[in-house]
Amino acid sequence: MTATKINLLNDYNYVAHPSVLEALQAYQDDRFVGYALDPVSDDARATILELVGLPQAEVHFVTGGTQANLITISAALRPHEAVIAASSGHIVVHETGAIEATGHKVLTHDSADGKVKPEAVQALVLAHNNDHMVKPRLVYLSQTTELGTVYTLAELQALRAVCDELDLLLFADGARLGCALTADKCDHNLAQMAELLDAFYIGGTKNGLLYGEALVLCNPILQKDFRYQIKQRSGLLGKGFILGIQFQALFKDDLYFKLARQGNERAAELDTGLKALGYSFEVPTESNQVFPILNNKAISTLAEKIEFNLITPLENDQSSIRFVTTWQTTPEEIQATLSLMERLSPRA
């Protein structure tokens, strides 16, 4: 059914990129052993390992970001250990307490730009300094953050340094990693991330796949028996070859990066147009998420024509909203959105 509204609600509001669907169709008559132990999945893993430049790493396919976060964090931590995250982190506000449900506390700190700060990590570790409290063991970050901001290489290096100093693991949620790596602000690649992180995942659900994330375990201490952990957490998909086929297609001819770049470009067009109309923003636009501020009456009017998220209630009867663009967002949709926003502009 064709939607009547412009959909800027999220970046998984489509079925899949045609190349991914064509790849699945091409294997329609093949038979597979299951659980991603087939040659196609092996080929996809080999491609990813070549991109990260870390032959000793392991790649595992799971179906979604919450599953990737839950399995990795619960596998990495002993029963008394905790994870540190920004208060806006996905594991804090969008996963229904999945990490806590595994018995591990999430320790948070406020961050205006959604980024975990080294000094906050130090403070939380210092505050949990005896055996009557949980022990911080892992730092969780999102690249991009939930506010669309992008960590620079220097910021990742600073987090690595504090993690080394305090004997912490460093893990990155990469649900929107493609948008981060193709952002204008980004000054690093997959290989440099692999050097700095103990684990991260490459998100496909929000960048062209039906579903699926490729989890990269860089640190050997996380690799032992990891498939047991995946199975125990209901993540070892019988038809795992479907994930392998999709990731094989996604990394053919740099499709993964091309799709992410298209989403960023549409967001940049929207950001430029909104600035010209006089809008201000909760955070700067750095990737495929745009957070303009509107008065609440205008938000109600806009909701009649556009799908979006209401994010933060602000003072003076205003709130920030979130627009999310994808490889499927067209220039025409951006222009139509700007035309609607012009009528509601603070300059109108």
Side-chain angles (χ1 to χ4, degrees), residues 54-255:
L54 203 64
Q56 68 271 29
E58 285 187 358
V59 177
H60 299 275
F61 299 123
V62 296
T63 56
T66 297
Q67 191 176 66
N69 291 333
L70 184 152
I71 294 170
T72 304
I73 293 171
S74 63
L77 301 184
R78 295 181 67 191
H80 61 285
E81 293 176 334
V83 54
I84 292 172
S87 58
S88 58
H90 206 271
I91 62 171
V92 181
V93 294
H94 285 101
E95 297 185 0
T96 325
I99 303 304
E100 286 91 345
T102 68
H104 299 287
K105 190 171 184 177
V106 181
L107 306 172
T108 65
H109 75 90
D110 291 335
S111 173
D113 61 3
K115 297 180 183 180
V116 178
K117 302 299 192 296
E119 58 271 22
V121 173
Q122 290 175 320
L124 284 167
V125 171
L126 287 173
H128 294 77
N129 57 8
N130 65 71
D131 54 13
H132 296 280
M133 310 172 80
V134 292
K135 180 181 180 180
R137 173 59 174 144
L138 181 146
V139 173
Y140 164 95
L141 62 89
S142 302
Q143 179 72 318
T144 69
T145 72
E146 287 68 29
L147 296 177
T149 52
V150 177
Y151 286 88
T152 64
L153 180 61
E155 288 171 327
L156 293 176
Q157 289 170 333
L159 284 171
R160 179 73 268 168
V162 76
C163 286
D164 288 343
E165 176 189 345
L166 300 173
D167 191 27
L168 303 174
L169 298 167
L170 185 58
F171 168 56
D173 177 325
R176 294 187 175 95
L177 184 56
C179 288
L181 293 173
T182 56
D184 290 341
K185 185 176 180 179
C186 187
D187 57 357
H188 57 274
N189 56 29
L190 276 173
Q192 289 167 303
M193 283 193 66
E195 291 177 358
L196 295 169
L197 294 159
D198 295 290
F200 66 94
Y201 65 89
I202 301 168
T205 301
K206 296 177 179 177
N207 195 36
L209 298 193
L210 286 165
Y211 55 83
E213 326 294 307
L215 178 57
V216 183
L217 303 179
C218 307
N219 190 332
I221 70 169
L222 299 177
Q223 296 172 4
K224 184 180 179 182
D225 294 341
F226 197 81
R227 278 176 64 89
Y228 288 85
Q229 300 282 350
I230 298 174
K231 180 65 175 183
Q232 190 178 71
R233 299 293 180 185
S234 301
L236 199 59
L237 191 64
K239 290 188 176 182
F241 54 85
I242 292 177
L243 294 168
I245 292 169
Q246 290 187 85
F247 272 101
Q248 185 190 56
L250 191 59
F251 282 103
K252 184 177 181 181
D253 299 325
D254 285 333
L255 181 63

